Amino acid sequence: MTKTYRFTCIVCPLGCSIEVEVEHGKVKDVKGCKCPRGKEWASQEATSPRRVVMSVVHVEGGALPTVSVKTAEPVPKELIPELMKFLAGLKLKAPVEIGEVVAEWNGIKIVATRGA
Amino acid sequence: MFPGIPMLNYDVVVIGGGPAGMAAAARAKELGLNVLLLDENDYLGGILPQCIHPGFGLHYFREELTGPEFAARLAKRLVELGVEYRTAARVMEIRNYSDLEKVVIFTSPSGAYQAWAKAVIYAAGARERHAFEIGIVGDRVAGVYTAGEAQTLMDIYGVLPGKEIVIVGSGDVGLIMARRFALEGAKVKAVIELMPYPGGLARNVMILRDFDIPLYLSHKVVEVRGKGRVERVKVVKVDENLNEIPGSEFWIEADALIISAGLVPSVKKLTAIGVEIDPSTGGPVVNDRLETSVPGVFAAGNALLINDLVDYVAEQGELAAEGAKEFIENGGIESRKWIRVEKGENVRLLAPHRLSGERDVYLYLRVARPMEDVELRIPEVGKRVKLSLATPAEMLRVKLKAEEIRDAEKLTVEVVRE
């Protein structure tokens, strides 16, 4: 069974309209993108979409009540709600350095993007 | 001059500690100037510390960073260079006594000061347009925020501004906030856009698909109702002339209304000293050193014109610092003549407005309406640049070489079909 996905590419501001044909879970054809990065992104988007996730985590004793964090690598899209619940339950103590790994979830590092 | 107020002396005072101001102060220091940076917030970075999404710095640092990371890099550079800065410092007034005598009066937790300088770089950013400004009427209720206020609540203080949210405006800020709300567990019930096309970049419009958020194009929010707190908002469809279509009204239940209807450069302290304002950018008229019509007063970042890339903001800060250096050394910015830059077909706004023709310059501009396969043309000098896409959402930046433009009297910039 062939399925066609249509995306607006999010890799760069050009925003190419990309069509990906997927057969039995495998990418058969990618049309419409102007660069290899777009092709790679669209192929992944059609078969197993992933996102780098950003959020804030509560921190005690810092100058601000939160630090911003990101995942060190893209997370499968369907797992994002679960990750968000994990982050909502986290409580850190100052000091937190920017770039510090503040937690780990399913083997994915959570990195502070702001100090506190 | 102001007895009893401690006097400080600098070559240049930079107003605003966001990316433009930090880049300006760092560059000024590198150029050997004695510089003071002032910011009214408690921390440096301007709005960047609350912009926790990625997409910053690809040009300036050649690396994709989040807002706080971008801010931290610039702040680190300031500290390493030993730039003097003060946070929680509110500028009350700028006075311009003569070309090389300016004073910035500010208050801070340790008292009021008068900072004398030969040049001032104004990088105070922009303010957000609010609900009243876009004609929303109704009850005066809690739960109406600008996107930036909501972002501060959520990403600085960790407070979700509502559970069921309607967003006005589909610019990049509105779209990015839609993602943040949805990710944090709020239900984003709709994004309402007045124009027939989205205001933001295509890559940000894709965000809505991730969370099944409906986008209503050619619609506007006209009324907000509730007892104490937002309970529902009234939406109406508009025709191609943006007039409301009678009978098309409907209500959406929501407990928060987020206004993301664009930014306006903050220029009050500039107009107070007679700086000429360009009505189309909302910021000052500047030359290719980003000097305003008041000699020795420079502008950069969103106070100059609304940018979409922080990289360009930082670039403008550095350019203004180089301008300040030249101004102080030569007692003014020299040019044999100023070449006027004018808006032509499909150009909504542009800066700078006057070019010396003595150095290469970046022209920043926005088109009036989206168009594919276009050419940017400057007929007076035969310049043509092909563009696959031009949308109002994305600022165009074009380099003009000194030798290309030197002999022109004026330049008319147009973005037209090939």
Side-chain angles (χ1 to χ4, degrees):
Chain A
M1 205 195 82
T2 312
K3 215 176 156 193
T4 307
Y5 294 86
R6 285 186 185 82
F7 301 121
T8 303
C9 187
I10 59 169
V11 173
C12 86
L14 266 186
C16 296
S17 299
I18 308 183
E19 264 188 37
V20 186
E21 265 182 46
V22 177
E23 201 176 82
H24 304 300
K26 287 229 163 77
V27 175
K28 228 181 95 190
D29 195 17
V30 183
K31 275 184 244 165
C33 53
K34 293 183 179 119
C35 80
R37 282 170 69 211
K39 190 171 175 180
E40 193 185 318
W41 173 81
S43 305
Q44 171 140 80
E45 185 68 13
T47 51
S48 94
R50 285 165 178 268
R51 299 283 183 271
V52 168
V53 176
M54 322 281 154
S55 187
V56 290
V57 172
H58 286 274
V59 61
E60 270 172 33
L64 300 175
T66 66
V67 283
S68 51
V69 296
K70 66 178 176 190
T71 56
E73 57 194 282
V75 178
K77 220 170 112 177
E78 73 274 9
L79 296 181
I80 292 176
E82 200 185 310
L83 167 63
M84 291 305 291
K85 277 192 196 125
F86 169 77
L87 294 177
L90 266 185
K91 279 217 167 19
L92 304 174
K93 281 205 163 66
V96 176
E97 292 286 322
I98 187 167
E100 187 181 323
V101 176
V102 296
E104 210 170 297
W105 175 81
N106 285 355
I108 293 168
K109 292 185 167 70
I110 311 295
V111 182
T113 58
R114 202 164 61 206
Chain B
M1 297 278 184
F2 302 91
I5 301 180
M7 219 163 134
L8 311 167
N9 276 289
Y10 298 93
D11 294 320
V12 52
V13 173
V14 179
I15 298 170
M22 286 199 289
R27 186 79 188 117
K29 183 81 178 180
E30 276 174 359
L31 292 169
L33 300 176
N34 178 17
V35 56
L36 173 69
L37 174 68
L38 298 174
D39 192 90
E40 64 182 12
N41 230 327
D42 290 336
Y43 47 85
L44 288 176
I47 58 158
L48 285 174
Q50 72 198 49
C51 302
I52 67 164
H53 54 284
F56 299 89
L58 277 171
H59 297 271
Y60 195 75
F61 290 116
R62 302 194 182 283
E63 200 180 322
E64 187 165 19
L65 304 169
T66 64
E69 290 170 327
F70 190 102
R73 293 251 179 130
L74 281 179
K76 186 165 174 251
R77 199 169 138 208
L78 283 185
V79 171
E80 283 169 0
L81 286 164
V83 173
E84 187 180 340
Y85 69 87
R86 294 191 188 214
T87 52
R90 179 176 285 264
V91 171
M92 309 307 289
E93 197 183 345
I94 305 168
R95 289 199 185 184
N96 178 51
Y97 287 102
S98 73
D99 282 4
L100 290 168
E101 288 173 301
K102 302 165 197 319
V103 61
V104 175
I105 300 157
F106 68 93
T107 62
S108 77
S110 59
Y113 297 88
Q114 43 177 326
W116 288 77
K118 296 172 184 133
V120 170
I121 298 174
Y122 191 80
R127 69 166 178 84
E128 297 178 277
R129 298 215 300 151
H130 48 71
F132 302 134
E133 221 168 341
I134 56 171
I136 297 176
V137 300
D139 295 326
R140 184 171 277 210
V141 285
V144 180
Y145 301 101
T146 65
E149 286 168 350
Q151 195 178 47
T152 307
L153 272 176
M154 192 158 42
D155 292 336
I156 299 286
Y157 297 103
V159 176
L160 198 57
K163 291 195 178 73
E164 297 197 305
I165 293 173
V166 172
I167 298 175
V168 177
S170 67
D172 291 316
V173 177
L175 296 170
I176 285 164
M177 289 314 290
R179 170 174 60 190
R180 285 289 300 132
F181 295 137
L183 202 51
E184 294 295 343
K187 170 93 186 139
V188 183
K189 302 197 84 175
V191 174
I192 311 290
E193 171 60 53
L194 179 65
M195 303 307 284
Y197 48 84
L201 300 173
R203 56 183 281 177
N204 289 331
V205 179
M206 278 285 287
I207 287 170
L208 301 180
R209 200 196 55 130
D210 269 6
F211 297 97
D212 297 318
I213 298 168
L215 169 64
Y216 292 85
L217 299 173
S218 296
H219 279 75
K220 69 195 271 200
V221 170
V222 289
E223 199 175 320
V224 52
R225 288 293 168 197
K227 287 194 184 75
R229 172 99 200 173
V230 178
E231 287 168 8
R232 57 192 187 281
V233 299
K234 188 184 186 179
V235 181
V236 60
K237 198 170 175 8
V238 298
D239 63 20
E240 61 268 30
N241 299 316
L242 307 182
N243 294 319
E244 294 170 26
I245 299 172
S248 68
E249 304 86 350
F250 59 97
W251 291 89
I252 300 177
E253 285 184 24
D255 63 0
L257 178 67
I258 309 296
I259 312 296
S260 173
L263 303 169
V264 184
S266 294
V267 292
K268 261 190 193 165
K269 301 211 168 57
L270 291 181
T271 51
I273 52 168
V275 165
E276 186 189 346
I277 299 300
D278 171 357
S280 61
T281 59
V285 171
V286 293
N287 64 26
D288 52 357
R289 282 297 200 205
L290 304 188
E291 185 188 30
T292 67
S293 59
V294 172
V297 175
F298 298 79
N302 281 357
L304 169 60
L305 83 169
I306 303 305
N307 290 267
D308 36 45
L309 288 184
V310 70
D311 306 79
Y312 297 168
V313 165
E315 172 181 283
Q316 289 157 16
E318 296 203 3
L319 189 58
E322 284 156 21
K325 165 88 171 171
E326 184 182 335
F327 176 83
I328 291 166
E329 278 186 353
N330 302 335
I333 302 283
E334 293 289 336
S335 171
R336 282 167 293 145
K337 59 166 185 187
W338 291 106
I339 305 161
R340 279 177 295 129
V341 190
E342 289 182 359
K343 295 179 289 172
E345 175 70 18
N346 197 20
V347 172
R348 184 159 61 98
L349 55 87
L350 58 75
H353 309 74
R354 311 262 183 275
L355 308 181
S356 65
E358 288 172 32
R359 64 184 78 90
D360 299 353
V361 61
Y362 284 116
L363 215 54
Y364 304 96
L365 62 124
R366 281 183 195 275
V367 295
R369 51 184 186 278
M371 270 170 112
E372 277 181 41
D373 298 316
V374 287
E375 223 174 44
L376 181 146
R377 288 185 198 155
I378 305 175
E380 289 91 343
V381 293
K383 173 114 182 157
R384 284 159 172 254
V385 182
K386 278 195 200 309
L387 305 161
S388 58
L389 178 70
T391 83
E394 195 175 355
M395 197 162 75
L396 301 172
R397 172 170 162 277
V398 184
K399 188 170 189 170
L400 301 179
K401 289 208 149 75
E403 57 265 28
E404 287 184 290
I405 56 173
R406 188 168 290 147
D407 299 324
E409 288 292 321
K410 83 171 177 146
L411 303 172
T412 312
V413 184
E414 53 190 34
V415 178
V416 290
R417 288 232 186 275
E418 280 184 65

